[in-house]
């Protein structure tokens, strides 16, 4: 469903990706943990098709239409309301009007934004804007979710709801890649775990029942940092 | 084809809605048009050069620079929250994106021209009623060409520093021909010359539109892809 083969990309002398390969089948979530500057965002940009790798290839079944991407940027227009933004982005993904309105109502309710639907995005707090970003990325019911620090700015309740929502989506046969520097955030959903450091996957393995402490220890050993 | 046009309209409608909400570019362009025409009106000496000789050039210089203001905003809208990145990773084709921007820009510039033309008539007291239809035709033909080129360059410069300065510098050389032809046609129409006399320039403007809309559509993906 999602595969990467030998992805390599450098920004000047800095290797952001260095021969990354993996394959994800339906129902799997790969959590990519790594410190700042490890190349996690570059990996997601390549998978999303935003950046062409200098070497290697990434393949997503269903192409660009199958991807739901939550990046560091919201892609939302501040002067449009939340609902106008959702309708616009869903239209680009070919979602029909009826399905679009139904999906928007469902997501806004689940993400606690129903009462903010007619507010301009510019008037939302950072946390609420992040919820709108999540809704924007899920409007077309994507088969592949690329999530770059998706919990940033969310309060505990919204983060828990997002975890539940993502869990349901992945359980329904989708795949997800979550990139984060925070082991606590990504672990709950992960079926597979990768530690990325200086552009390389220094470890890639199924989670296989490992708990938070075991993963955090393995992360520290692999990456050589504290504070996981 | 129909699907691409539908998506182009989705993009254009979004741009129009954003402009309707903010009214920044359109208001600036309309005020700019009014100010330039006012300055030319009070700055000229009608006894030195007859108005009818000067008016066509003033009209087209005003329209060209007012259009720059509108063109500058086309892709600047997409810088907010990096929306352009979202558009480029979505299934939206580059052609639909370009056409969407082109449609929105054409509507903006048309609004500016719709305000500018009556002001031009008012200030310069030129007789346009008997040639209104052909005059609107030449304005439409010239506008399509220079907005097509301007939209392409607007995408090209948007990620550069000083994009607002770069755009006129890059676009104006491409506008010399259509604006010169439009001035020639306008001058002859206002002088009451027969339509047959301007047919050649109208054909040139039509050919310019076809060539540059096609070229810009083909080149656009190379300007936005990393």
């Amino acid at each position: 469903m999602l595969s990467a083969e030998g992805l390599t990309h450098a920004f000047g002398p800095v290797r952001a990706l260095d021969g990354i390969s993996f394959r994800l089948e339906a129902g799997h979530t790969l959590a990519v943990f790594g410190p700042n500057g490890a190349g996690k965002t570059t990996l997601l940009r390549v998978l999303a098709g935003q950046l062409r790798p200098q070497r290697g290839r990434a393949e997503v079944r269903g192409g660009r239409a199958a991807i739901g991407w939550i990046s560091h940027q919201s892609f939302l227009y501040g002067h449009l309301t939340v609902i106008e933004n959702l309708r616009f982005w869903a239209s680009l993904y070919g979602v029909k009007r009826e399905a679009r309105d139904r999906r928007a109502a469902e997501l806004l309710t689940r993400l606690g934004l129903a009462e903010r639907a007619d507010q301009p995005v510019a008037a939302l707090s950072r946390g609420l804007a992040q919820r709108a970003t999540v809704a924007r990325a899920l409007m077309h019911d994507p088969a592949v979710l690329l999530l770059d620090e998706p919990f940033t700015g969310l309060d505990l309740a919204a983060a828990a709801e997002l975890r539940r929502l993502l869990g349901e989506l992945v359980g329904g046969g989708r795949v997800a890649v979550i990139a984060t520097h925070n082991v606590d955030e990504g672990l709950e959903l992960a079926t597979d775990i990768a530690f990325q450091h200086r552009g390389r996957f220094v470890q890639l393995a199924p989670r296989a029942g490992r708990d938070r402490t075991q993963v955090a220890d393995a992360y520290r050993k692999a990456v050589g940092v504290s504070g996981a | 084809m129909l699907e691409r046009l539908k998506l182009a309209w989705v993009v254009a409608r979004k741009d129009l809605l954003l402009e309707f909400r903010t009214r920044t570019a359109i208001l600036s362009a309309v005020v700019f048009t009014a100010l330039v025409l006012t300055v030319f009106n009070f700055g000229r000496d009608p006894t030195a050069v007859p108005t009818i000789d000067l008016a066509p050039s003033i009209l087209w210089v005003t329209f060209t620079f007012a259009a720059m203001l509108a063109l500058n905003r086309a892709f600047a809208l997409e810088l907010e929250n990096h929306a352009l990145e979202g558009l480029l990773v979505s299934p939206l084709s580059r052609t639909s994106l370009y056409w969407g921007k082109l449609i929105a820009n054409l509507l903006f510039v048309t609004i500016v021209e719709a305000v500018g033309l009556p002001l031009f008539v008012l200030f310069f007291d030129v007789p346009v009623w008997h040639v209104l239809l052909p005059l609107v035709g030449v304005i439409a033909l010239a506008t399509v060409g220079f907005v097509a080129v301007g939209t392409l360059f607007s995408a090209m410069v948007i990620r550069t520093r000083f994009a607002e300065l770069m755009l006129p510098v890059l676009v104006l050389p491409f506008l010399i021909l259509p604006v010169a032809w439009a001035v020639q046609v306008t001058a002859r129409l206002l002088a009451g010359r027969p339509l047959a006399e301007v047919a050649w320039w109208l054909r040139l403007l039509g050919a310019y539109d076809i060539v540059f809309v096609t070229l810009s559509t083909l080149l656009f993906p190379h300007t936005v892809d990393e």
Side-chain angles (χ1 to χ4, degrees):
Chain A
M1 208 160 184
L2 171 65
S3 64
E5 208 178 295
L7 295 181
T8 302
H9 197 87
F11 297 103
V14 180
R15 282 215 158 187
L17 298 179
D18 191 0
I20 285 185
S21 301
F22 67 91
R23 190 178 178 80
L24 276 185
E25 291 303 335
H28 283 251
T29 299
L30 172 67
V32 181
F33 299 115
N36 295 337
K40 305 184 296 295
T41 296
T42 306
L43 173 63
L44 292 192
R45 287 176 69 199
V46 167
L47 295 176
Q50 198 223 351
L51 184 66
R52 199 171 298 156
Q54 287 154 344
R55 277 217 309 274
R57 51 180 290 185
E59 207 171 315
V60 176
R61 195 185 300 160
R64 287 191 282 171
I67 296 173
W69 187 23
I70 299 176
S71 84
H72 286 185
Q73 307 296 338
S74 70
F75 305 156
L76 299 172
Y77 299 94
H79 287 93
L80 296 187
T81 64
V82 174
I83 191 76
E84 285 166 347
N85 267 291
L86 297 188
R87 283 181 187 143
F88 170 71
W89 286 103
S91 299
L92 299 188
Y93 283 83
V95 183
K96 300 279 177 251
R97 183 185 294 240
E98 244 177 61
R100 202 171 63 192
D101 290 345
R102 200 174 48 242
R103 181 82 174 150
E106 181 191 322
L107 285 169
L108 290 174
T109 304
R110 288 207 63 172
L111 292 163
L113 277 175
E115 286 172 13
R116 313 271 184 166
D118 295 318
Q119 273 189 14
V121 166
L124 300 180
S125 68
R126 186 167 175 232
L128 291 174
Q130 179 67 1
R131 295 187 204 190
T133 303
V134 172
R136 188 265 304 150
L138 300 179
M139 273 298 286
H140 57 290
D141 197 11
V144 176
L145 301 163
L146 303 176
L147 314 164
D148 197 354
E149 309 279 4
F151 304 102
T152 305
L154 295 181
D155 58 33
L156 288 175
E161 183 55 37
L162 178 58
R163 269 191 211 99
R164 265 195 300 277
L165 186 56
L166 294 175
E168 283 171 28
L169 290 171
V170 175
R174 290 159 187 82
V175 301
V177 178
I178 302 180
T180 177
H181 63 278
N182 188 331
V183 170
D184 290 326
E185 283 181 348
L187 196 59
E188 198 175 311
L189 294 163
T191 57
D192 301 83
I193 292 170
F195 300 140
Q196 190 173 351
H197 189 43
R198 292 182 183 153
R200 309 189 68 161
F201 275 1
V202 289
Q203 195 181 107
L204 171 63
R207 181 179 171 187
R210 285 182 288 174
D211 63 18
R212 193 251 174 224
T213 314
Q214 289 168 312
V215 172
D217 285 346
Y219 176 60
R220 271 193 288 270
K221 274 183 202 153
V223 177
V225 293
S226 58
Chain B
M1 180 71 170
L2 193 65
E3 192 55 33
R4 283 185 177 188
L5 277 172
K6 268 166 67 180
L7 287 172
W9 176 243
V10 169
V11 173
R13 198 179 51 198
K14 181 266 298 171
D15 280 12
L16 294 170
L17 190 56
L18 279 171
E19 187 53 38
F20 176 73
R21 294 267 161 82
T22 58
R23 292 191 189 95
T24 45
I26 202 80
L27 213 58
S28 310
V30 166
V31 170
F32 174 84
T33 304
L35 285 175
V36 171
L37 290 173
T38 309
V39 168
F40 274 120
N41 182 44
F42 291 109
R44 75 200 158 97
D45 177 3
T47 59
V49 184
T51 303
I52 202 77
D53 292 342
L54 205 59
S57 308
I58 292 172
L59 179 73
W60 281 102
V61 166
T62 309
F63 280 175
T64 305
F65 284 97
M68 289 295 158
L69 294 177
L71 291 170
N72 259 321
R73 50 145 297 287
F75 283 89
L77 292 175
E78 308 301 343
L79 294 181
E80 186 185 16
N81 295 323
H82 293 240
L84 184 58
E85 287 174 24
L87 293 175
L88 296 179
V89 298
S90 77
L92 177 74
S93 73
R94 307 302 190 249
T95 304
S96 294
L97 177 56
Y98 173 72
W99 287 352
K101 291 291 178 186
L102 178 61
I103 293 167
N105 285 340
L106 280 172
L107 289 170
F108 288 136
V109 176
T110 302
I111 291 170
V112 175
E113 290 170 343
V115 175
L117 190 60
L119 286 176
F120 168 75
V121 174
L122 185 75
F123 284 148
F124 292 88
D125 195 24
V126 284
V128 298
W129 304 116
H130 63 293
V131 288
L132 190 60
L133 213 61
L135 187 60
V136 168
V138 72
I139 290 173
L141 272 177
T143 302
V144 169
F146 73 66
V147 170
V149 178
T151 304
L152 177 72
F153 279 100
S154 168
M156 202 179 282
V157 301
I158 197 61
R159 287 170 175 144
T160 64
R161 290 176 73 192
F162 312 118
E164 290 186 3
L165 290 176
M166 292 282 286
L167 184 63
V169 172
L170 289 171
V171 175
L172 284 175
F174 288 90
L175 304 192
I176 292 170
L177 283 177
V179 170
W181 297 334
V183 169
Q184 295 294 338
V185 176
T186 308
R188 279 162 178 75
L189 288 176
L190 294 180
R193 310 292 298 174
L195 205 56
E197 202 174 291
V198 298
W200 170 244
W201 280 298
L202 291 177
R203 272 191 221 111
L204 282 176
L205 282 171
Y208 184 95
D209 290 355
I210 292 168
V211 168
F212 278 93
V213 169
T214 308
L215 262 181
S216 300
T217 303
L218 294 174
L219 291 174
F220 180 74
H222 305 286
T223 67
V224 290
D225 286 330
E226 260 184 78

